[in-house]
Amino acid sequence: MENKKASVSSCVRGVLHFLRPYRGKAILALFMVIVSQLTFALNPSVEGLITSQLTQDAMEIVNGTPGAHVHFDVILRIMLVLLGLYLLKTVSQLITSFFLTDAIQGAMHDLRNALQQKIQRLPVRYFDDHAFGDVLSRVTNDVDALSNALQQTLTRVFGGILTFLFVITMMLTINATMTLVALIIIPLSLLITRIVVGHSQRLFDEQQTTLGELNGTITEMYGGFSEIVLYGKQADAVDTFRNVNERMCRSSFKAQFVSSLISPLVSLCTYLTIGAVAVLGCLFVIDGTIRVGQLQAFIRYIWQINDPLSQISQLSAQVQAAFAAMGRIFGMLEEEEEVAEKDPPETIADVRGQVTFDHVQFGYDDNLLMKDVNISVQPGQMVALVGPTGAGKTTLMNLLLRFYDVKGGSIKIDGVDIRDMKREDLRSLFSLVLQDTWLFNGTIYDNLRYGRLNARKDEVIEAAKTANIHHYIRTLSHGYDTMINEEGNNISQGEKQLLTIARAILKDPQILILDEAPSSVDTRLEKMLQEAMTRVMQNRTSFVIAHRLSTIKNADLILVIQNGNIVEQGTHESLLAQQGVYEKLYHSQFADQQTEEGAALA
């Protein structure tokens, strides 16, 4: 899916919105920029007074003027004024840096929080269409690019504008003709900048997009590192990374090179302008129109005009990268969120666990995957979902949890349409135990309490005993305080699944969704998992994505799913008697299990 990018105007409004709470600090910082640039503009003229005084004293001494001497007292007074201007400029810059940094970092703090909150409100579809690394890059790399650009360019751009205004005013007080000649540098520099930026901005957009793709590739590879090594695909992984990295290198080189052309071209314009002004200024000095110190100050002013132009050109790469980053950041913030909840929402006073799919229609796009799904599950029933991979079993559960909304029909719990409930209230009715277990970086105790933070220690231990995991936890050196690392790979897959079953038991949900354990676990652990699942399903409505013959035989209702639709439903015996899809699926997928079970009993 193509990444959405916000418009430039939308990005600017967005940045101003996040800076608004800190506008007092930002305004104070910008005021001190005015003070700093005003002293900066006065310095050359004051310095020129020293040169003019020394030149006048030297001429009087050479001409033998009576009483001629160097007026050190005058020069000292001028130097004291100059020192005061230098100190004022330094202090104002320090104040600017402190308050502007505080304002920008506060705004970036709020922006990261806004992105995190936005992530919580985005539909599951967004994360199906965007790589994890790309989302991570927006929250980290793109925000950092924006932060650095604001920190380093805001005062320079604002200060550059003030420099133009103050310096041009000072130049006009010296000589209007020389000022007109010197001002040629401005339109030439702006023209050069516009042409170069017009070509390089597209390259910076490509650079930021490729950076997100690079992060996504790295995240994917490290997430599947064991599988890559297992299948001997290290070389392929390196080739994949190298291809993305080379594209990143090419796009970055083009963007940086094109943007770097601004500085030397602007400097060339400055040198040519200084040469022209120097010749013209010498003529004015000779005929007495201006003094030597004024010519010196005027040339300094040309350099002062060049200074912000040069700085801005040097920062153009950072500014363009920031605009590319802003497009991605605010593009994410402008993404459509989950459908608004009904206000006031419906609630279920005493949940029994009756679930009804009434003529449900659904598709991930305009093509419907489910056209007319009808299911009626009574409280406490165990429902087994069977069907080939990709048939739609997980999709059916995603609809029940409102990760996606139906496009037609309705899903009801105890007669209440789930679209009329708050998502938080709806999902609080469920617990999930999936093959792809998720445990976070923390203690086993904290992981077990994740669905019920107010649980007592004895309740946590009782849930662990029910899930057949208490004994294993006791064998660990730190028991329930054992830390699970970020990847969760310091415990086995089966034990992780037992922990998630214990977590589900502790939450004490009304409805369960379970994906049976993979067959890769050993027989002892498989038996423990089956016992734990049986316990957790007692007196609860449960949906089980079935991989085991025993589960299917014990199910109150079997749903046979094919191409997204319920093609058959009933008990094990009734479906076998129909000799339809289930009967063929049973003999192809579960017959071997029946033979194995018979052999084990023998």
Side-chain angles (χ1 to χ4, degrees):
M1 181 177 179
E2 184 178 354
N3 288 325
K4 179 178 179 180
K5 293 185 177 66
S7 64
V8 174
S9 59
S10 177
C11 290
V12 173
R13 288 196 301 270
V15 172
L16 292 176
H17 168 75
F18 283 99
L19 283 172
R20 188 171 295 119
Y22 309 95
R23 57 182 176 272
K25 296 175 181 178
I27 290 172
L28 176 59
L30 295 179
F31 173 76
M32 297 312 296
V33 173
I34 296 175
V35 174
S36 175
Q37 294 306 312
L38 182 59
T39 59
F40 185 58
L42 290 173
N43 286 341
S45 292
V46 177
E47 293 167 358
L49 294 176
I50 297 175
T51 303
S52 295
Q53 183 63 48
L54 288 173
T55 302
Q56 180 181 337
D57 292 343
M59 291 297 294
E60 290 177 353
I61 293 171
V62 170
N63 293 331
T65 303
H69 64 282
V70 177
H71 292 78
F72 287 106
D73 56 334
V74 176
I75 294 172
L76 180 60
R77 286 197 296 271
I78 297 173
M79 290 182 66
L80 288 173
V81 173
L82 193 60
L83 177 62
L85 291 174
Y86 287 152
L87 289 174
L88 183 58
K89 184 176 186 297
T90 301
V91 172
S92 61
Q93 287 177 328
L94 290 173
I95 295 175
T96 297
S97 177
F98 178 83
F99 284 101
L100 189 64
T101 299
D102 194 9
I104 291 175
Q105 293 310 313
M108 294 304 101
H109 170 270
D110 294 345
L111 179 58
R112 289 189 184 92
N113 282 340
L115 285 169
Q116 178 61 27
Q117 292 167 8
K118 180 71 176 185
I119 288 173
Q120 306 303 322
R121 298 193 300 269
L122 287 172
V124 173
R125 181 192 303 275
Y126 181 87
F127 301 98
D128 290 341
D129 295 335
H130 293 79
F132 169 74
D134 180 67
V135 176
L136 179 64
S137 184
R138 294 178 190 235
V139 181
T140 55
N141 294 334
D142 290 337
V143 173
D144 284 343
L146 175 58
S147 175
N148 292 334
L150 287 174
Q151 192 69 51
Q152 298 186 33
T153 64
L154 189 59
T155 54
R156 295 187 185 185
V157 171
F158 183 61
I161 295 172
L162 294 175
T163 296
F164 288 141
L165 297 176
F166 293 152
V167 167
I168 290 171
T169 301
M170 297 302 296
M171 291 168 73
L172 286 171
T173 61
I174 296 175
N175 187 282
T177 304
M178 291 169 61
T179 302
L180 292 175
V181 174
L183 289 181
I184 295 174
I185 188 178
I186 296 177
L188 285 176
S189 299
L190 292 176
L191 179 62
I192 291 170
T193 302
R194 181 176 181 181
I195 293 173
V196 174
V197 169
H199 285 82
S200 60
Q201 185 59 59
R202 174 181 56 82
L203 298 174
F204 276 101
D205 289 339
E206 181 182 343
Q207 173 186 299
Q208 289 301 115
T209 300
T210 310
L211 177 60
E213 185 179 345
L214 181 66
N215 284 327
T217 302
I218 294 171
T219 303
E220 179 182 277
M221 287 182 176
Y222 277 105
F225 183 77
S226 299
E227 286 78 5
I228 291 173
V229 174
L230 175 65
Y231 289 104
K233 297 295 183 180
Q234 297 95 319
D236 293 342
V238 170
D239 288 340
T240 300
F241 177 81
R242 183 182 290 115
N243 290 334
V244 179
N245 194 27
E246 286 177 356
R247 285 194 286 112
M248 178 70 192
C249 181
R250 287 196 299 270
S251 62
S252 297
F253 170 77
K254 291 177 182 178
Q256 298 292 338
F257 175 75
V258 173
S259 65
S260 68
L261 295 175
I262 296 176
S263 183
L265 292 175
V266 170
S267 296
L268 176 62
C269 293
T270 303
Y271 293 137
L272 294 175
T273 303
I274 288 175
V277 169
V279 172
L280 184 60
C282 288
L283 295 176
F284 285 136
V285 170
I286 292 172
D287 66 15
T289 303
I290 62 174
R291 302 173 68 184
V292 174
Q294 290 177 309
L295 176 58
Q296 172 197 331
F298 200 93
I299 293 175
R300 282 283 310 278
Y301 283 133
I302 296 176
W303 278 113
Q304 284 193 355
I305 290 178
N306 173 75
D307 185 58
L309 288 175
S310 178
Q311 287 187 9
I312 291 171
S313 65
Q314 292 171 11
L315 292 169
S316 70
Q318 200 169 23
V319 170
Q320 292 174 85
F323 271 104
M326 280 194 291
R328 287 162 49 80
I329 291 169
F330 290 102
M332 184 177 179
L333 288 174
E334 291 174 4
E335 287 283 352
E336 292 185 8
E337 299 180 2
E338 290 185 313
V339 178
E341 298 174 328
K342 179 182 177 181
D343 188 25
E346 293 283 346
T347 57
I348 304 175
D350 185 16
V351 180
R352 295 180 296 113
Q354 182 185 41
V355 179
T356 306
F357 284 68
D358 186 11
H359 299 288
V360 167
Q361 296 179 336
F362 175 74
Y364 291 101
D365 48 33
D366 294 335
N367 298 318
L368 290 179
L369 174 67
M370 298 178 177
K371 297 178 181 178
D372 188 25
V373 175
N374 294 280
I375 307 170
S376 179
V377 180
Q378 299 306 311
Q381 280 191 327
M382 184 181 76
V383 180
L385 308 177
V386 299
T389 301
K393 302 185 290 293
T394 302
T395 299
L396 204 65
M397 296 299 95
N398 285 340
L399 292 176
L400 182 57
L401 292 165
R402 278 199 77 188
F403 289 155
Y404 294 89
D405 278 321
V406 298
K407 292 188 175 180
S410 63
I411 302 175
K412 298 177 181 178
I413 296 178
D414 293 345
V416 177
D417 193 321
I418 62 174
R419 289 170 297 185
D420 294 336
M421 301 174 64
K422 288 181 63 176
R423 291 184 180 86
E424 182 180 353
D425 293 342
L426 169 67
R427 292 165 188 167
S428 69
L429 305 178
F430 293 84
S431 273
L432 287 86
V433 179
L434 305 178
Q435 285 193 28
D436 296 328
T437 54
W438 176 78
L439 298 172
F440 58 86
N441 183 20
T443 65
I444 289 178
Y445 180 72
D446 289 336
N447 272 274
L448 293 178
R449 291 192 315 132
Y450 188 72
R452 186 180 156 204
L453 295 177
N454 61 350
R456 300 188 310 271
K457 184 68 176 283
D458 62 304
E459 292 175 321
V460 173
I461 293 174
E462 187 60 34
K465 288 179 179 179
T466 304
N468 287 333
I469 192 64
H470 174 69
H471 176 71
Y472 167 74
I473 297 174
R474 290 289 303 275
T475 64
L476 299 174
S477 58
H478 295 93
Y480 283 85
D481 293 325
T482 300
M483 290 292 295
I484 297 176
N485 62 26
E486 292 180 3
E487 293 78 19
N489 56 16
N490 57 336
I491 57 176
S492 72
Q493 178 64 34
E495 286 150 354
K496 284 197 290 186
Q497 194 145 26
L498 286 173
L499 287 175
T500 59
I501 293 174
R503 183 163 62 192
I505 293 172
L506 186 63
K507 185 182 177 182
D508 192 23
Q510 287 77 16
I511 305 173
L512 274 168
I513 298 175
L514 302 99
D515 192 349
E516 285 191 312
S519 57
S520 57
V521 299
D522 61 69
T523 305
R524 181 190 62 83
L525 193 54
E526 180 181 344
K527 183 179 179 181
M528 292 172 64
L529 284 169
Q530 290 298 314
E531 290 176 355
M533 285 187 174
T534 302
R535 291 171 185 168
V536 76
M537 286 188 291
Q538 288 178 356
N539 303 319
R540 293 183 177 93
T541 304
S542 56
F543 294 85
V544 185
I545 298 176
H547 304 285
R548 294 278 180 268
L549 178 64
S550 57
T551 303
I552 295 174
K553 285 185 172 181
N554 296 331
D556 299 304
L557 177 66
I558 300 173
L559 303 177
V560 185
I561 305 175
Q562 195 171 56
N563 298 322
N565 290 287
I566 310 296
V567 293
E568 292 176 358
Q569 54 180 302
T571 63
H572 174 67
E573 290 76 12
S574 66
L575 290 175
L576 283 178
Q578 292 180 24
Q579 296 185 340
V581 175
Y582 177 77
E583 192 263 347
K584 294 178 181 177
L585 182 66
Y586 170 76
H587 285 296
S588 64
Q589 186 172 346
F590 299 106
D592 290 341
Q593 287 186 30
Q594 189 174 25
T595 302
E596 291 173 4
E597 289 180 6
L601 290 173

Coordinates of all heavy atoms in Angstrom, one line a residue, residues 363-405:
G363 N -15.6 -8.2 3.2 CA -14.5 -8.3 2.3 C -13.4 -7.2 2.7 O -13.7 -6.2 3.2
Y364 N -12.1 -7.6 2.4 CA -11.1 -6.6 2.7 C -11.0 -5.5 1.7 O -10.5 -4.4 2.0 CB -9.7 -7.4 2.7 CG -9.6 -8.3 3.9 CD1 -9.7 -9.7 3.7 CD2 -9.3 -7.9 5.1 CE1 -9.6 -10.6 4.8 CE2 -9.1 -8.7 6.2 CZ -9.3 -10.1 6.0 OH -9.2 -10.9 7.1
D365 N -11.7 -5.7 0.5 CA -11.8 -4.6 -0.4 C -13.2 -4.7 -1.0 O -14.1 -5.2 -0.3 CB -10.8 -4.8 -1.5 CG -10.7 -6.2 -2.1 OD1 -11.7 -6.9 -2.1 OD2 -9.5 -6.6 -2.4
D366 N -13.4 -4.3 -2.2 CA -14.8 -4.3 -2.8 C -15.3 -5.7 -3.1 O -16.5 -5.9 -3.2 CB -14.8 -3.4 -4.1 CG -14.5 -1.9 -3.8 OD1 -14.8 -1.5 -2.6 OD2 -14.0 -1.2 -4.7
N367 N -14.4 -6.6 -3.2 CA -14.8 -8.0 -3.4 C -15.1 -8.7 -2.1 O -14.3 -8.7 -1.2 CB -13.7 -8.8 -4.1 CG -13.3 -8.2 -5.5 OD1 -14.2 -7.8 -6.2 ND2 -12.0 -8.1 -5.8
L368 N -16.3 -9.2 -2.0 CA -16.8 -9.8 -0.7 C -16.2 -11.2 -0.6 O -16.2 -12.0 -1.5 CB -18.3 -9.9 -0.7 CG -19.1 -8.6 -0.6 CD1 -20.6 -8.9 -0.6 CD2 -18.7 -7.9 0.7
L369 N -15.5 -11.4 0.6 CA -15.0 -12.7 1.0 C -16.1 -13.6 1.6 O -16.2 -14.8 1.3 CB -13.8 -12.6 1.9 CG -13.2 -13.8 2.5 CD1 -12.5 -14.6 1.4 CD2 -12.2 -13.5 3.7
M370 N -16.9 -12.9 2.5 CA -18.0 -13.6 3.1 C -19.3 -13.0 2.6 O -19.5 -11.8 2.7 CB -17.9 -13.5 4.6 CG -16.7 -14.1 5.2 SD -16.6 -13.9 7.0 CE -15.1 -14.8 7.4
K371 N -20.2 -13.8 2.0 CA -21.4 -13.2 1.4 C -22.7 -13.4 2.2 O -23.6 -12.6 2.1 CB -21.5 -13.9 0.0 CG -20.4 -13.6 -0.9 CD -20.5 -14.3 -2.3 CE -19.3 -13.9 -3.2 NZ -19.4 -14.6 -4.5
D372 N -22.7 -14.5 3.0 CA -23.9 -14.7 3.8 C -23.7 -15.7 4.9 O -24.0 -16.9 4.8 CB -25.1 -15.2 2.9 CG -26.4 -15.2 3.7 OD1 -26.6 -14.5 4.6 OD2 -27.3 -16.0 3.3
V373 N -23.0 -15.2 6.0 CA -22.6 -16.1 7.1 C -23.7 -16.1 8.2 O -24.0 -15.0 8.7 CB -21.2 -15.7 7.6 CG1 -20.9 -16.6 8.8 CG2 -20.2 -15.9 6.5
N374 N -24.2 -17.2 8.5 CA -25.2 -17.3 9.6 C -24.7 -18.4 10.6 O -24.5 -19.5 10.3 CB -26.5 -17.7 9.0 CG -27.1 -16.6 8.1 OD1 -27.7 -15.6 8.6 ND2 -27.0 -16.8 6.8
I375 N -24.5 -17.9 11.9 CA -24.1 -18.8 12.9 C -24.9 -18.5 14.2 O -25.1 -17.3 14.5 CB -22.6 -18.7 13.2 CG1 -21.8 -18.8 12.0 CG2 -22.1 -19.7 14.3 CD1 -20.3 -18.4 12.2
S376 N -25.3 -19.5 14.9 CA -26.0 -19.3 16.2 C -25.3 -20.2 17.2 O -25.3 -21.4 17.1 CB -27.5 -19.7 16.1 OG -28.1 -19.5 17.3
V377 N -24.6 -19.6 18.2 CA -23.9 -20.3 19.2 C -24.5 -20.0 20.6 O -24.7 -18.8 21.0 CB -22.4 -19.8 19.3 CG1 -21.6 -20.5 20.4 CG2 -21.7 -20.0 17.9
Q378 N -24.9 -21.0 21.3 CA -25.6 -20.9 22.6 C -24.5 -20.7 23.7 O -23.4 -21.1 23.5 CB -26.5 -22.1 22.8 CG -27.6 -22.3 21.8 CD -28.4 -21.1 21.6 OE1 -28.9 -20.5 22.6 NE2 -28.6 -20.6 20.4
P379 N -24.9 -20.1 24.8 CA -24.0 -19.9 25.9 C -23.4 -21.2 26.4 O -24.0 -22.3 26.5 CB -24.9 -19.3 27.0 CG -26.0 -18.7 26.3 CD -26.3 -19.6 25.1
G380 N -22.0 -21.2 26.6 CA -21.3 -22.4 27.1 C -20.9 -23.4 26.0 O -20.2 -24.3 26.3
Q381 N -21.3 -23.2 24.8 CA -21.0 -24.1 23.7 C -19.5 -24.0 23.3 O -19.0 -22.9 23.3 CB -21.9 -24.0 22.5 CG -23.3 -24.6 22.6 CD -24.0 -24.6 21.3 OE1 -23.8 -23.7 20.4 NE2 -24.8 -25.6 21.1
M382 N -18.9 -25.1 22.9 CA -17.6 -25.1 22.3 C -17.8 -25.3 20.8 O -18.4 -26.3 20.3 CB -16.7 -26.2 22.8 CG -15.3 -26.2 22.3 SD -14.2 -27.5 22.9 CE -14.8 -28.9 21.9
V383 N -17.3 -24.3 20.0 CA -17.4 -24.3 18.6 C -16.0 -24.5 18.0 O -15.1 -23.8 18.3 CB -18.0 -22.9 18.1 CG1 -18.1 -22.9 16.6 CG2 -19.3 -22.6 18.8
A384 N -15.9 -25.5 17.1 CA -14.7 -25.8 16.4 C -14.7 -25.2 15.0 O -15.7 -25.4 14.3 CB -14.4 -27.3 16.4
L385 N -13.7 -24.5 14.6 CA -13.6 -24.0 13.3 C -12.6 -24.8 12.5 O -11.4 -24.9 12.9 CB -13.1 -22.5 13.3 CG -13.9 -21.6 14.2 CD1 -13.3 -20.2 14.2 CD2 -15.3 -21.5 13.8
V386 N -13.0 -25.4 11.4 CA -12.2 -26.2 10.6 C -12.2 -25.7 9.2 O -13.2 -25.1 8.7 CB -12.5 -27.7 10.7 CG1 -12.4 -28.2 12.1 CG2 -13.9 -28.0 10.1
G387 N -11.2 -26.0 8.4 CA -11.1 -25.6 7.1 C -9.6 -25.4 6.6 O -8.7 -25.4 7.5
P388 N -9.4 -25.4 5.3 CA -8.0 -25.3 4.9 C -7.4 -23.9 5.2 O -8.1 -23.0 5.6 CB -8.2 -25.4 3.3 CG -9.6 -25.0 3.0 CD -10.4 -25.5 4.2
T389 N -6.1 -23.8 5.2 CA -5.4 -22.6 5.4 C -5.9 -21.5 4.5 O -6.0 -21.7 3.3 CB -3.9 -22.8 5.2 OG1 -3.4 -23.8 6.1 CG2 -3.1 -21.5 5.5
G390 N -6.2 -20.3 5.1 CA -6.7 -19.2 4.3 C -8.2 -19.2 4.0 O -8.7 -18.4 3.2
A391 N -8.9 -20.2 4.6 CA -10.3 -20.3 4.4 C -11.1 -19.1 5.0 O -12.2 -18.8 4.5 CB -10.8 -21.6 4.9
G392 N -10.6 -18.5 6.1 CA -11.3 -17.4 6.7 C -11.6 -17.6 8.2 O -12.4 -16.9 8.7
K393 N -10.9 -18.6 8.8 CA -11.2 -18.9 10.2 C -10.8 -17.7 11.1 O -11.5 -17.2 11.9 CB -10.4 -20.1 10.6 CG -10.8 -21.4 9.9 CD -10.1 -22.6 10.4 CE -8.6 -22.6 10.2 NZ -8.3 -22.8 8.7
T394 N -9.5 -17.2 10.9 CA -9.1 -16.0 11.6 C -9.9 -14.8 11.3 O -10.2 -14.0 12.2 CB -7.6 -15.8 11.3 OG1 -6.8 -17.0 11.7 CG2 -7.0 -14.6 12.2
T395 N -10.3 -14.6 10.1 CA -11.1 -13.5 9.7 C -12.4 -13.5 10.4 O -12.8 -12.4 10.9 CB -11.4 -13.5 8.2 OG1 -10.1 -13.4 7.5 CG2 -12.2 -12.3 7.7
L396 N -13.0 -14.6 10.6 CA -14.2 -14.7 11.3 C -14.1 -14.2 12.8 O -14.9 -13.5 13.3 CB -14.7 -16.2 11.3 CG -16.2 -16.4 11.5 CD1 -17.0 -15.8 10.3 CD2 -16.5 -17.9 11.6
M397 N -12.9 -14.6 13.4 CA -12.7 -14.2 14.8 C -12.4 -12.7 14.8 O -12.7 -12.0 15.8 CB -11.5 -15.0 15.4 CG -11.9 -16.5 15.5 SD -13.3 -16.8 16.6 CE -14.6 -17.0 15.4
N398 N -11.7 -12.2 13.8 CA -11.4 -10.7 13.8 C -12.7 -9.9 13.7 O -12.7 -8.8 14.2 CB -10.5 -10.4 12.6 CG -9.0 -10.9 12.8 OD1 -8.6 -11.0 13.9 ND2 -8.3 -11.0 11.7
L399 N -13.7 -10.4 13.0 CA -14.9 -9.7 12.9 C -15.6 -9.8 14.3 O -16.2 -8.8 14.7 CB -15.8 -10.4 11.8 CG -15.4 -10.3 10.4 CD1 -16.3 -11.1 9.5 CD2 -15.4 -8.8 10.0
L400 N -15.5 -10.9 14.9 CA -16.2 -11.0 16.3 C -15.5 -10.0 17.3 O -16.2 -9.5 18.1 CB -16.0 -12.5 16.8 CG -16.7 -12.8 18.1 CD1 -18.2 -12.5 18.1 CD2 -16.4 -14.3 18.5
L401 N -14.2 -9.8 17.1 CA -13.5 -8.8 18.0 C -13.6 -7.4 17.5 O -13.0 -6.5 18.1 CB -12.1 -9.3 18.2 CG -11.9 -10.6 18.9 CD1 -10.4 -11.1 18.7 CD2 -12.1 -10.4 20.4
R402 N -14.2 -7.2 16.4 CA -14.3 -5.9 15.7 C -12.9 -5.3 15.4 O -12.7 -4.1 15.4 CB -15.1 -4.9 16.6 CG -16.6 -5.0 16.5 CD -17.3 -3.7 16.9 NE -17.2 -2.6 16.0 CZ -17.5 -1.3 16.2 NH1 -18.0 -1.0 17.4 NH2 -17.4 -0.4 15.3
F403 N -12.0 -6.2 15.0 CA -10.8 -5.7 14.4 C -11.1 -5.2 13.0 O -10.5 -4.3 12.5 CB -9.7 -6.8 14.3 CG -9.2 -7.2 15.7 CD1 -8.6 -8.4 15.9 CD2 -9.2 -6.3 16.7 CE1 -8.1 -8.8 17.1 CE2 -8.6 -6.6 18.0 CZ -8.1 -7.8 18.2
Y404 N -12.2 -5.8 12.4 CA -12.8 -5.3 11.2 C -14.3 -5.2 11.4 O -14.8 -6.0 12.2 CB -12.5 -6.2 10.0 CG -11.0 -6.3 9.6 CD1 -10.2 -7.2 10.2 CD2 -10.5 -5.4 8.6 CE1 -8.8 -7.2 9.8 CE2 -9.2 -5.5 8.2 CZ -8.4 -6.4 8.8 OH -7.0 -6.4 8.4
D405 N -14.9 -4.3 10.7 CA -16.4 -4.2 10.8 C -17.0 -4.9 9.6 O -16.5 -4.9 8.5 CB -16.9 -2.8 10.9 CG -16.8 -2.2 12.3 OD1 -17.1 -2.9 13.2 OD2 -16.4 -1.0 12.4

